[in-house]
Amino acid sequence: MGFLAWVGDPHIGKHLLREEGEVVVDEVCHHWVAYVRPALETLAAVVLLVASPFVHVNVAWFFMVVAFLLLLHSAWCAVREIRDRFVITNMRVFRVHGVLSQHLATMPLSRILDISVKKPLHGRLLGFGHFCFESAAQEQGLRDIKYVGRPDERDLAIQRVVQRAGLRGPRVPN
């Protein structure tokens, strides 16, 4: 197991209720667009490091410090995005996120009242969207899930799981 796999693994399995028959239907990582900012910060740091030998020594140290801070921040942001997972199971949906401390937000399928899928223009072009969950309890940690790849497929997967669980009545023909 590589270092990046070890750092990026939020250990979803330890949150499953295996004794109750809970299985993962889908585990959603962020779309690649969420990594654009860390990549641009890394690129800016590389540019500063490459430029530092060509400037006066009194300025070069500043370039190097800023480059180091940019690299540190971009690595933090990338690990934060890698460790943020949205999981759909046959019993609930939950989100695990956090780098040094881990946060878990869970919502049973029975409490999902509505799912809004927001797809901005660039999201439609690049294949991502944002989920907004509505439930009876409005103050919860699983309201907005951003940068979900293939949002329509993921929404249908949740709807199928809810339907199979018998939490919504059968469709009535018009």
Side-chain angles (χ1 to χ4, degrees):
M1 184 159 152
F3 177 73
L4 284 178
W6 175 75
V7 167
D9 185 12
H11 305 292
I12 297 300
K14 73 179 182 182
H15 301 290
L16 294 177
L17 303 170
R18 295 200 192 275
E19 311 82 43
E20 305 299 323
E22 185 175 33
V23 293
V24 173
V25 174
D26 195 7
E27 182 177 337
V28 182
C29 301
H30 281 289
H31 189 268
W32 63 265
V33 169
Y35 300 97
V36 169
R37 180 179 174 190
L40 290 174
E41 287 182 7
T42 300
L43 181 64
V46 169
V47 167
L48 286 173
L49 286 174
V50 168
S52 63
F54 301 105
V55 295
H56 192 273
V57 73
N58 290 338
V59 178
W61 71 268
F62 181 72
F63 278 26
M64 293 176 71
V65 167
V66 170
F68 175 74
L69 292 174
L70 273 173
L71 284 172
L72 198 62
H73 186 259
S74 68
W76 179 267
C77 289
V79 170
R80 183 186 65 213
E81 298 299 331
I82 288 170
R83 293 186 58 83
D84 191 352
R85 302 287 170 86
F86 172 63
V87 181
I88 305 164
T89 73
N90 60 332
M91 301 170 80
R92 60 190 169 135
V93 294
F94 66 90
R95 178 181 179 206
V96 177
H97 62 101
V99 178
L100 297 178
S101 60
Q102 193 175 64
H103 306 275
L104 175 69
T106 301
M107 185 184 309
L109 294 175
S110 60
R111 294 213 20 221
I112 298 174
L113 298 178
D114 185 42
I115 303 171
S116 298
V117 180
K118 300 174 187 174
K119 294 184 285 187
L121 177 61
H122 65 292
R124 291 178 62 200
L125 294 172
L126 299 173
F128 72 89
H130 311 296
F131 280 180
C132 182
F133 286 89
E134 301 290 336
S135 74
Q138 288 300 317
E139 295 300 319
Q140 26 105 11
L142 189 65
R143 180 170 166 78
D144 295 312
I145 308 294
K146 299 200 178 278
Y147 299 107
V148 176
R150 302 184 331 268
D152 293 329
E153 293 175 32
R154 288 339 196 315
D155 179 44
L156 287 174
I158 295 170
Q159 299 304 330
R160 276 189 208 97
V161 171
V162 168
Q163 191 70 28
R164 287 182 188 145
L167 299 172
R168 305 285 190 269
R171 291 185 146 228
V172 178
N174 293 340

